[in-house]
Every structure is written in C-alpha cells, then in structure tokens.
Amino acid sequence: MVATANIQYAWTLFVPEIQSTFGWDRASIQIAFTIFVLVQTWLTPIEGYFIDKYGPRAMVAFGAVFMGLSWVVNSQATSLMGFYLGAAVGGVGVGCIYATCINNALKWFPDRRGLAVGLTAGGYGMGSAATILPIAAMIQSSGFQSTFLFFGVLQGVLAFVAAMFLRSPKTGEVKVSEKLAQSRRDYTLTEAMRTKLFWLMFFMFICVVTGGMMAVAQLGVIAQDLGVKNYSVNLYFFTMAALPLALMLDRIMNGISRPLFGWISDNIGREKTMVIAFTLEGFGIVALGYFGHNPYAFLILSGVVFLAWGEVYSLFSALAGDAFGTKHIGKIYGVLYCAKGIGALFVPVGNLLMEATGTWSTVLYTVACMDLLAAFLAVVALRPILKQHVAYSSALKAKETEEMSGKPALA
C-alpha cells in the first residue's frame, strides 16, 4: 500500500511541469487523474471476484506490475492520450493492490476491523510522505520524465516483493466479534444491493469523498492560485516552500486519520465517528477557502482537511464488513468503493467552476456542504437503518439455520 501511494498522491507535483512543457490547459491534464480514479474504483467489483478466486498474493503481484508500468508509460508520453493510457494502467494496478489489502484486513481482524483497515489504508494515505520531497527534488533536477521512470520501476518492484508475504485466513482461523454490532450472516452482492443501508452508505461515501478527491488532485493548483505555493515557511529549525511542506504534512495527517478514526469507531461506533469526522472536514474546507491566502493557515487547514477525509476508507469498509459479512466482501465493498470514482468526476468540474467564478471559495464551500450533509445523515438515517439491518440479519440467519437443520435454532 505504501508503494502504491505516489500514483495518486504525488500526481499534483507533476501537473504544473506537464503543463509548462506541453502547454496543455489544466483541465485537460487533470482528466488523466479522473481516468485513474475511475479505472481504480469501477473495476474493483471485478477485482473482488478474482481476489476470492486466486487469493491476495497473485492479485497484488499482478497489480504491482501494472502499477509500475503506469509511470513508465507516463515517462514516455508526449500526448494527452499517452498520459490517459498511463493513468488507466495505473488504475488497474492500484485497484488490484488496494482492494486486495483492504479485503484481507477485513477478514483477518473482525474484532478490530476499523483499526486494521485503518492501518492498512493508512499505508496508502501516508505512503507518499517520505517520497514527496525526493520526487519534487528530482523533478527540478532531472525533469518529470526521469522521475516518472525511476519511481515507477522502484514502486513496482517493492509492491511485487511484498505480495509474496500475503495470504487469506483459513476456515475457523478467525471468529466474529462479540463486542460490535455485526451481522452474523454473509450477504451476497445482490442481497446487499437490495438493502436501503447499502445505498445510503453509497450516497454518503460520494458526498464525503468528493471534497477530499478535489483537494488531493488540486492542492498544488489551489496553492498557486491562492499565492502561497512558493512562499517560504520558516519553522525556526528549517525553512521550506509552503506547497511541498503542506503535501508532506497532509500525507502524514491522511495516514494517521485512518487508523485513528478506525480505532475510535471500534470503541464508540461507526456512525458517531462519522459525525465527528465529516463535520470536522466540512468546517475545515470552509476555513481553507476563507483563510487559505495565509501560508501558515493554508498548512494547518489543509492538514485538518486531510485528517478528517482519510478516515472514509477505514469507516466505510469496516461498516460494510460489519453489515454484510466477509465471505463476499470483495465484491460488495468493490461496488461501494465505486463512489470514489463518481467523486473523481467532480475534479475537472471543480476547475471549470473555479474558472467560471474566479475563486476556489465557490468550489470549497460546495463540497463542504456535502460533508455536512453526510454528517447529518449519519445521525438521522444511518444509525436507525443500521440497527434495523443487524436485527433483521440475526432473525434471517436464525431462520436459515432452522430450515437447514430441520429444527428450531437457538436464540
């Protein structure tokens, strides 16, 4: 997961260099990012099928090859279509690795599902923190093509080696948690998609992920338009430009948020944790639009946004495992994860909206409202629907057990 992080999170460093080299407009270049996310997310249900069939080792090894190849393609691209192709190849590779690792964490640790998934996803969120500065430095010294090539090969090799150490739990090796509200029944994908709970989670996922996706793809552009990109921030013991420092801090905050909020959700419940995180993100985005011209405020507030956004990948996956079981979770969470692909469609729209209004505030305030809507739904809709779903699942499981055994099941 660490090795795959740069494919998404370091992209913002390359956009200005690609634009200055080829002269293409920003929105056209960012379509590559949208293609990457769409391929990564919308193929996840298919990848879930192959995870169940071939296991985690083969899937991650396959994804590592495609993930490394994507940046090799980018290093040779001289047209927009070349970058679009590289983005699609990267989407396949990262999708295979991400879906497999999350799937495995859900299966291995049912009693600490939020923390386990959060730590796993944290590798993806925090993974680029250590490489942001080397990548930025190599772009300046050797050009973005050489940087794509070197880091593409390096990341692909690391992920391929890591794949050799993965396996799924065997039958009876793990037990369902007695502490958390979890379904004792394994739902199929079709059954899950027939529930109100699934589609409520899907809609909330879209609302929250949109703001974070826009920040990930556009942070460098937002910093440039707010006039803080190259501002030297003096932190007494070192001085650094605002943008690379913000990117490094944001990756750290993004990585911390996933296990942190996952652990919190294991103790106070997924719904309450969602209210806290989504509200924090909404107000953080509003503040970023209002105070972002100050480089120190830009650093702090972008960190707050990433802290509150990163947890979506631990909370929704853990909740899906709680609600629908883990036997078919690869396919179920694969479809749920497509919400990220829908959110990615708004990334180029954000550029167009900014150009039409002349300010990022319009964009940021819009996505903040979506975050606050998701927080509201977590209280008034998700909590009661989840309670009803778990109760119904228990009754349905008891009925199915009774039918199979031919005698009444124990309560």
Side-chain angles (χ1 to χ4, degrees), residues 49-387:
Y49 168 80
F50 287 109
I51 292 169
D52 294 337
K53 185 171 183 178
Y54 296 110
R57 186 174 303 163
M59 285 298 293
V60 172
F62 177 82
V65 173
F66 272 68
M67 184 263 291
L69 181 61
S70 68
W71 272 22
V72 173
V73 172
N74 284 348
S75 71
Q76 305 300 313
T78 56
S79 66
L80 282 171
M81 289 304 299
F83 286 102
Y84 296 165
L85 174 61
V89 172
V92 173
V94 175
C96 289
I97 295 173
Y98 190 96
T100 304
C101 293
I102 293 296
N103 179 278
N104 231 30
L106 288 172
K107 291 182 176 179
W108 270 107
F109 307 102
D111 55 337
R112 290 290 183 270
R113 198 166 272 157
L115 177 60
V117 174
L119 288 169
T120 305
Y124 189 68
M126 189 188 257
S128 61
T131 52
I132 284 293
L133 296 183
I135 287 176
M138 188 171 181
I139 289 174
Q140 294 301 316
S141 63
S142 304
F144 72 88
Q145 291 97 338
S146 296
T147 307
F148 269 135
L149 180 62
F150 175 79
F151 279 93
V153 173
L154 175 64
Q155 292 160 179
V157 170
L158 289 174
F160 190 89
V161 172
M164 300 301 107
F165 297 90
L166 291 176
R167 74 174 180 90
S168 296
K170 300 176 182 178
T171 303
E173 201 168 357
V174 296
K175 297 180 180 180
V176 177
S177 172
E178 298 296 334
K179 176 184 175 182
L180 300 172
Q182 296 179 343
S183 172
R184 298 301 192 267
R185 183 179 185 275
D186 288 310
Y187 281 71
T188 66
L189 174 59
T190 303
E191 289 173 334
M193 292 179 67
R194 289 174 180 168
T195 65
K196 292 186 294 184
L197 177 61
F198 179 90
W199 293 109
L200 175 60
M201 291 169 59
F202 191 81
F203 178 73
M204 291 173 61
F205 204 159
I206 293 173
C207 288
V208 180
V209 81
T210 298
M213 290 296 300
M214 202 163 290
V216 167
Q218 310 284 20
L219 191 62
V221 178
I222 293 173
Q224 181 176 334
D225 292 344
L226 290 176
V228 299
K229 177 181 178 181
N230 297 315
Y231 185 91
S232 294
V233 178
N234 188 346
L235 297 178
Y236 297 105
F237 49 91
F238 72 94
T239 301
M240 187 183 298
L243 178 59
L245 179 58
L247 289 171
M248 184 176 67
L249 293 176
D250 292 344
R251 299 308 174 258
I252 295 173
M253 299 300 283
N254 195 359
I256 291 173
S257 73
R258 302 179 191 210
L260 173 63
F261 284 105
W263 173 78
I264 293 173
S265 73
D266 285 335
N267 290 276
I268 70 172
R270 317 290 185 213
E271 320 92 273
K272 294 179 183 178
T273 308
M274 287 180 176
V275 174
I276 296 170
F278 300 168
T279 302
L280 180 62
E281 183 183 353
F283 284 114
I285 289 176
V286 170
L288 182 63
Y290 193 79
F291 299 107
H293 290 86
N294 182 298
Y296 292 94
F298 178 82
L299 284 174
I300 295 170
L301 293 172
S302 62
V304 170
V305 170
F306 275 82
L307 176 67
W309 176 65
E311 97 299 327
V312 296
Y313 300 108
S314 57
L315 294 185
F316 282 103
S317 56
L319 182 58
D322 291 344
F324 306 115
T326 59
K327 185 176 181 180
H328 305 287
I329 193 60
K331 305 179 190 71
I332 294 172
Y333 184 64
V335 176
L336 189 65
Y337 191 65
C338 290
K340 182 181 178 182
I342 296 176
L345 294 174
F346 292 96
V347 172
V349 173
N351 266 309
L352 298 175
L353 184 58
M354 182 273 170
E355 292 171 1
T357 60
T359 175
W360 280 105
S361 297
T362 307
V363 180
L364 295 175
Y365 293 159
T366 300
V367 297
C369 289
M370 297 173 71
D371 290 324
L372 296 175
L373 173 61
F376 176 74
L377 289 174
V379 175
V380 301
L382 180 63
R383 192 172 184 180
I385 291 176
L386 177 61
K387 184 177 180 180

